[in-house]
């Protein structure tokens, strides 16, 4: 899927790729020897909270073992490689106020448990070995290239097909959940900024604004002049064993130290 995106963007031919199996230490070590990177951005691993309930072992292996292998290979190789780990707002679990760097983790899915382990691995390698290793605790970040297993693209994909008369309904799970949704491009800029600082630090990144799935639906259907309530069915099949009901970020530290603020607002994101 990564390569499809790169091909579609026309940049696949301009870059060199090395294939890595992150859960296999030798593979990671070899890739770092070959590429000799100055910076590593680890975005690998299971990325769907929903799927993590179906594949709990694969989730832990791909996220936590994968992350550990990068840290350990960087330590063993001994070159000054700067490391970014993709942590997640899911680590907070249910929160009633905006989460910042002092909010405790209470993970509620195999995905969030694995991401929490990876967060502490990064902190441990930073403390124990002085690695320039950081975690970005990112709230939901979306784009047209997001897979349709996520609710934003599932909605916009269905809206387009309903508008063109190809289908006539959209079945969803919990539409009362709230999320802090931002644009992926804004978050990638923040990841890069994190590795350009003098000190390695962890950052919470989000827009500070939250919306329900219902609000996302209403906005998406209204952009094509349709009323969502005529097309949407709530289907318990899409409910999760446990659900994070609400997520909201306090990204003031990133604003202050990185000079970062998201540029794309909710309604533009949906559009
Ligand atoms: P997540 O926040 O990383 O789990 O991102 P998702 O886009 O997968 O889910 C966001 C929210 O939408 C969660 O609270 C889901 O329970 C809710 N949701 C409701 N219906 C659906 C659905 O059909 N698919 C997905 N993926 N999420 C849904």
């Amino acid at each position: 899927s990564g390569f499809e995106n790169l091909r579609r963007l026309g940049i696949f031919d301009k870059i060199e790729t090395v294939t890595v199996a992150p859960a296999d230490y030798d593979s990671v070590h070899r890739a770092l020897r070959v590429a000799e990177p100055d910076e590593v951005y680890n975005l690998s691993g299971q990325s769907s909270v929903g799927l993590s309930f179906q594949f709990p072992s694969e989730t832990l292996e791909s996220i936590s073992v994968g992350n550990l292998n990068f840290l350990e290979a960087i330590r063993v190789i001994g070159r000054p490689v700067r490391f970014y780990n993709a942590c997640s707002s899911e680590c907070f679990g249910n929160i009633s106020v905006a989460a910042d760097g002092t909010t405790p983790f209470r993970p509620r899915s195999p995905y969030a448990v694995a991401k929490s382990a990876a967060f502490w691995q990064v902190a441990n390698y930073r403390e124990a070995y002085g690695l320039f290793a950081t975690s970005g605790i990112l709230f939901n970040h979306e784009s047209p290239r997001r897979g349709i297993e996520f609710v934003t693209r599932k909605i916009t994909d269905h809206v387009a097909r309903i508008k063109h008369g190809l289908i006539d309904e959209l079945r969803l799970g919990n539409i009362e959940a709230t999320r802090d949704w931002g644009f992926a491009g804004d978050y990638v800029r923040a990841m890069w900024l994190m590795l350009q600082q003098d000190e390695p630090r962890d950052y919470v990144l989000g827009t500070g604004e939250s919306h329900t799935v219902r609000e996302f639906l209403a906005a998406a259907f209204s952009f094509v002049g349709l009323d969502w309530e005529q097309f949407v069915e709530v289907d318990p099949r899409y409910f999760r064993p446990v659900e994070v009901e609400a997520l909201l970020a306090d990204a003031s530290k990133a604003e202050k130290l990185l000079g970062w603020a998201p540029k794309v607002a909710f309604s533009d994101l949906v559009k």
Side-chain angles (χ1 to χ4, degrees):
S1 57
F3 283 6
E4 281 159 38
N5 278 334
L6 293 174
R7 286 205 177 88
R8 217 174 295 137
L9 287 167
I11 55 178
F12 185 71
D13 296 336
K14 298 181 188 141
I15 58 173
E16 258 181 72
T17 58
V18 181
T19 302
V20 186
D24 172 353
Y25 177 80
D26 288 340
S27 154
V28 174
H29 187 109
R30 215 175 309 123
L32 291 182
R33 286 268 187 229
V34 169
E36 298 195 305
D38 299 315
E39 298 175 1
V40 171
Y41 296 83
N42 179 22
L43 310 187
S44 69
Q46 177 57 257
S47 66
S48 162
V49 174
L51 288 179
S52 80
F53 286 98
Q54 289 174 47
F55 309 118
S57 298
E58 184 276 338
T59 299
L60 191 76
E61 193 171 55
S62 67
I63 293 176
S64 317
V65 176
N67 187 66
L68 184 59
N69 284 340
F70 277 106
L71 289 165
E72 181 61 7
I74 290 169
R75 182 187 76 79
V76 167
I77 289 171
R79 284 183 51 251
V81 178
R82 295 188 169 203
F83 182 74
Y84 172 87
N85 164 47
C87 187
S88 166
S89 58
E90 291 286 331
C91 295
F92 294 129
N94 269 329
I95 46 178
S96 47
V97 291
D100 64 16
T102 66
T103 308
F105 284 177
R106 290 204 175 79
R108 283 170 70 80
S109 62
Y111 172 85
V113 168
K115 286 287 185 186
S116 299
F119 175 88
W120 290 112
Q121 288 162 350
V122 167
N124 181 236
Y125 271 69
R126 194 166 56 216
E127 274 184 18
Y129 308 115
L131 256 58
F132 193 112
T134 67
S135 291
I137 305 173
L138 270 56
F139 283 66
N140 298 51
H141 38 290
E142 313 296 316
S143 90
R145 298 200 288 274
R146 183 73 133 156
I148 62 164
E149 66 273 26
F150 294 89
V151 80
T152 55
R153 279 294 291 124
K154 181 172 173 184
I155 292 171
T156 54
D157 172 79
H158 280 67
V159 165
R161 290 194 286 141
I162 288 170
K163 176 70 181 172
H164 287 287
L166 299 172
I167 54 171
D168 57 12
E169 81 173 358
L170 164 55
R171 305 184 81 81
L172 289 172
N174 176 14
I175 63 171
E176 308 307 335
T178 70
R179 288 291 182 272
D180 179 330
W181 279 295
F183 172 57
D186 282 333
Y187 292 66
V188 171
R189 197 172 68 249
M191 294 174 192
W192 179 81
L193 281 169
M194 283 174 60
L195 295 199
Q196 313 312 310
Q197 305 304 302
D198 294 334
E199 294 290 325
R201 288 194 184 88
D202 304 321
Y203 292 88
V204 168
L205 298 165
T207 69
E209 210 183 289
S210 75
H211 295 272
T212 57
V213 173
R214 179 191 284 272
E215 286 168 334
F216 195 105
L217 277 171
F221 276 92
S222 85
F223 275 124
V224 297
L226 296 174
D227 174 12
W228 71 274
E229 284 174 295
Q230 293 179 357
F231 302 96
V232 174
E233 284 290 332
V234 170
D235 184 340
R237 199 157 52 101
Y238 296 108
F239 291 160
R240 294 174 179 176
V242 278
E243 168 75 306
V244 171
E245 288 293 339
L247 282 175
L248 179 61
D250 173 353
S252 48
K253 180 175 152 191
E255 231 168 88
K256 197 167 130 223
L257 297 180
L258 302 176
W260 179 81
K263 292 178 183 166
V264 178
F266 178 71
S267 122
D268 293 329
L269 177 67
V270 178
K271 195 168 189 182

